[in-house]
C-alpha cells in the first residue's frame, strides 16, 4: 500500500489518500472498487482509495504524484460530500425520542444558517393547516409532536425560473404503523423512516457547494406516525392539498400520503418543473431487489436517462 503525504502536518477532518495495488485486496473493505485508476471514498474512514495495477506501464511515482495533485484541487468538494454523508447519517442515527419534526427542522435550519444564497423556510402546524396539507396532518394526528415542513431554496439561474428541480423527501421520524400496527420485529429501525428527508436536505447541502447554474427547491415533510386518541382510523377519508380525497385503507402506508402533499406543495407553491422524491416507502423493494439496490419508478423516460447517467458516475446501484 502506497501513501503519499503532501503536507507538513495533518489537518483536522482531512482525507487520507491511499494508492493500493492488487496484492492489497485482502486487506481492504469490500466497498473499495477494484478497477484500474478508480477512486473510492469511504467516509467513515475519512479515506479515499486509488486502485492501480502494479504491472501497468502507467504505474510510477510521477503519475501517482500528478494524480494526487489533480485530486487535491478537488479536495474541497470531496470533503463536502463526506460532510453531507455524515450529516445525513447523524440525522438517521438520532434516537426517535430525541429527534422529532421540530428538532429535525431546527437542525437543518442551523446547518444552512451560514449560507447567504440559500432560503430556508419552516412551516409549523398552523402554516401546514393553512396550506390545506390534509394528508400530512392525517398522519400526524396521533402524535403529541407537531409536524413541520422544511423548504430549502437555491436559485443559481434566476433568469430561468421555468426550470426548477424539486427534491421531496419523506420524513417519518418514527413509524409505528398507526392503527395498522407493525409487529414488534418490524418496529426495529423505524427511526430510519425519515431517511428520505435526510437525503434530500443533505443532497441539497452538497449540491449548492459548487454554486451550480441551476434552480433547486427541496421539500421535507416531517412527522411521526403514532397511535393516540386522535390518530387517523383505517378507512378514514381525508382531503389532500391538491383537493383530491383519499381513503386510507392502511395507516402504515403513510409515506405516500406525506409525499403527495409535499409534491403538491412543490408544484403549486414553489413552481418546480421536475421532481425527484426519496423515501423508505415500502419493504417490497427490499424483497424484490435486496439490500444493496434502490428501486426507482418514473413517468418520464428522458429524465430517467439523465438520472441513470448520474447514478453511474456516483456508483449508486438502482
Amino acid at each position: 500500500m502506497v501513501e503519499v503525504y503532501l503536507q507538513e502536518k495533518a489537518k483536522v477532518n482531512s482525507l487520507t489518500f491511499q494508492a493500493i495495488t492488487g496484492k492489497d485486496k485482502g486487506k481492504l473493505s469490500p466497498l473499495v472498487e477494484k478497477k484500474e485508476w478508480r477512486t473510492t471514498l469511504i467516509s467513515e474512514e475519512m479515506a479515499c482509495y486509488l486502485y492501480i495495477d502494479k504491472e501497468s506501464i502507467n504505474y510510477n511515482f510521477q503519475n501517482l504524484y500528478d494524480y494526487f495533485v489533480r485530486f487535491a484541487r478537488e479536495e474541497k468538494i470531496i470533503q463536502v460530500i463526506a460532510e453531507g454523508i455524515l450529516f445525513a447519517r447523524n440525522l438517521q442515527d438520532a434516537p426517535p425520542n430525541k429527534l422529532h419534526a421540530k428538532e429535525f427542522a431546527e437542525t437543518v435550519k442551523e446547518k444552512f444558517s451560514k449560507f447567504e444564497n440559500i432560503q430556508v423556510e419552516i412551516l409549523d402546524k398552523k402554516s401546514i393547516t393553512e396550506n390545506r396539507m390534509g394528508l400530512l396532518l392525517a398522519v400526524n394526528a396521533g402524535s403529541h409532536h407537531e409536524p413541520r415542513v422544511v423548504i430549502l431554496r437555491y436559485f443559481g439561474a434566476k433568469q430561468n425560473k421555468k426550470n426548477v428541480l424539486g427534491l421531496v423527501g419523506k420524513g417519518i421520524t418514527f413509524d409505528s404503523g398507526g392503527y395498522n400496527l407493525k409487529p414488534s420485529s418490524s418496529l426495529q429501525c423505524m427511526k430510519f423512516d425519515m431517511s428520505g428527508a435526510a437525503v434530500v436536505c443533505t443532497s441539497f447541502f452538497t449540491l449548492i457547494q459548487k454554486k451550480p447554474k441551476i434552480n433547486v427547491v427541496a421539500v421535507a415533510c416531517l412527522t411521526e406516525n403514532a397511535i393516540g386518541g386522535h390518530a387517523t382510523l383505517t378507512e378514514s377519508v381525508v382531503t389532500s392539498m391538491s383537493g383530491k380525497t383519499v381513503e386510507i385503507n392502511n395507516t402504515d402506508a403513510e409515506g405516500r400520503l406525506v409525499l403527495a402533499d409535499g409534491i403538491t406543495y412543490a408544484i403549486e407553491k414553489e413552481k418546480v418543473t421536475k421532481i425527484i422524491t426519496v423515501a423508505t416507502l415500502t419493504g417490497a423493494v427490499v424483497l424484490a431487489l435486496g439490500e444493496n439496490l434502490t428501486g426507482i419508478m418514473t413517468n418520464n423516460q428522458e429524465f430517467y436517462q439523465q438520472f441513470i447517467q448520474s447514478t453511474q458516475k456516483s456508483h449508486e446501484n438502482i
Side-chain angles (χ1 to χ4, degrees):
M1 186 175 293
V2 180
E3 299 184 30
V4 177
Y5 297 91
L6 302 179
Q7 58 192 42
E8 294 181 359
K9 54 185 178 180
K11 296 179 181 179
V12 177
N13 294 327
S14 63
L15 283 173
T16 298
F17 200 124
Q18 296 182 340
I20 59 173
T21 64
K23 68 178 183 179
D24 299 311
K25 286 183 179 180
K27 305 175 185 178
L28 293 171
S29 165
L31 297 176
V32 174
E33 188 169 11
K34 300 168 184 66
K35 292 183 180 180
E36 181 78 357
W37 293 96
R38 185 64 61 85
T39 55
T40 303
L41 170 68
I42 299 183
S43 59
E44 293 90 343
E45 301 177 13
M46 289 301 289
C48 195
Y49 297 95
L50 168 66
Y51 184 81
I52 54 177
D53 183 353
K54 194 171 183 179
E55 303 303 320
S56 171
I57 59 174
N58 295 320
Y59 170 64
N60 57 56
F61 179 83
Q62 187 61 48
N63 283 344
L64 283 177
Y65 178 85
D66 292 343
Y67 192 98
F68 291 160
V69 170
R70 290 195 301 271
F71 182 85
R73 296 190 184 121
E74 297 294 326
E75 181 181 3
K76 180 179 179 181
I77 192 61
I78 297 296
Q79 292 277 15
V80 168
I81 291 172
E83 183 180 354
I85 291 171
L86 293 174
F87 179 43
R89 290 178 178 177
N90 285 337
L91 286 170
Q92 292 169 309
D93 285 335
N97 63 324
K98 299 294 184 181
L99 189 79
H100 302 104
K102 178 182 177 182
E103 290 78 21
F104 187 115
E106 290 174 348
T107 300
V108 172
K109 184 177 181 179
E110 181 180 358
K111 186 71 174 179
F112 287 94
S113 62
K114 63 181 179 181
F115 297 100
E116 296 180 355
N117 59 338
I118 304 303
Q119 299 175 15
V120 181
E121 183 177 0
I122 298 175
L123 306 183
D124 58 13
K125 186 174 183 178
K126 179 180 178 182
S127 298
I128 292 169
T129 303
E130 290 173 351
N131 280 285
R132 309 182 315 281
M133 302 179 79
L135 301 184
L136 174 57
L137 291 169
V139 177
N140 176 254
S143 175
H144 291 291
H145 302 279
E146 291 191 355
R148 291 290 187 273
V149 175
V150 175
I151 303 111
L152 305 170
R153 305 183 185 95
Y154 169 81
F155 298 105
K158 294 182 179 180
Q159 74 285 358
N160 189 16
K161 289 294 184 66
K162 292 184 179 180
N163 190 1
V164 182
L165 174 64
L167 304 176
V168 181
K170 171 189 173 184
I172 306 298
T173 59
F174 187 83
D175 182 17
S176 70
Y179 274 113
N180 290 100
L181 184 66
K182 293 178 181 291
S184 296
S185 59
S186 297
L187 288 172
Q188 192 77 22
C189 296
M190 281 302 106
K191 68 177 183 178
F192 292 106
D193 217 19
M194 38 62 70
S195 295
V199 166
V200 299
C201 290
T202 55
S203 296
F204 185 93
F205 169 81
T206 305
L207 178 68
I208 64 172
Q209 304 293 315
K210 298 191 75 171
K211 300 181 180 178
K213 302 296 183 180
I214 60 174
N215 303 315
V216 185
V217 177
V219 177
C221 299
L222 308 168
T223 181
E224 66 177 2
N225 186 21
I227 296 176
H230 300 285
T232 298
L233 302 175
T234 306
E235 296 190 322
S236 294
V237 176
V238 295
T239 304
S240 68
M241 183 179 179
S242 70
K244 293 183 179 180
T245 53
V246 177
E247 182 180 20
I248 302 174
N249 289 325
N250 188 326
T251 59
D252 195 24
E254 83 298 328
R256 63 210 67 188
L257 298 179
V258 300
L259 284 178
D261 274 349
I263 290 169
T264 301
Y265 188 94
I267 294 171
E268 291 189 359
K269 300 294 185 179
E270 304 299 330
K271 309 303 180 184
V272 303
T273 54
K274 294 180 179 178
I275 295 178
I276 298 173
T277 66
V278 186
T280 48
L281 199 58
T282 171
V285 171
V286 176
L287 292 175
L289 304 180
E291 296 284 350
N292 299 314
L293 288 170
T294 296
I296 181 170
M297 293 174 285
T298 181
N299 62 353
N300 187 322
Q301 287 298 319
E302 181 181 356
F303 191 25
Y304 171 73
Q305 291 302 322
Q306 297 173 1
F307 190 83
I308 281 287
Q309 293 174 12
S310 297
T311 62
Q312 290 172 346
K313 291 179 181 179
S314 62
H315 308 293
E316 294 287 346
N317 296 318
I318 67 169

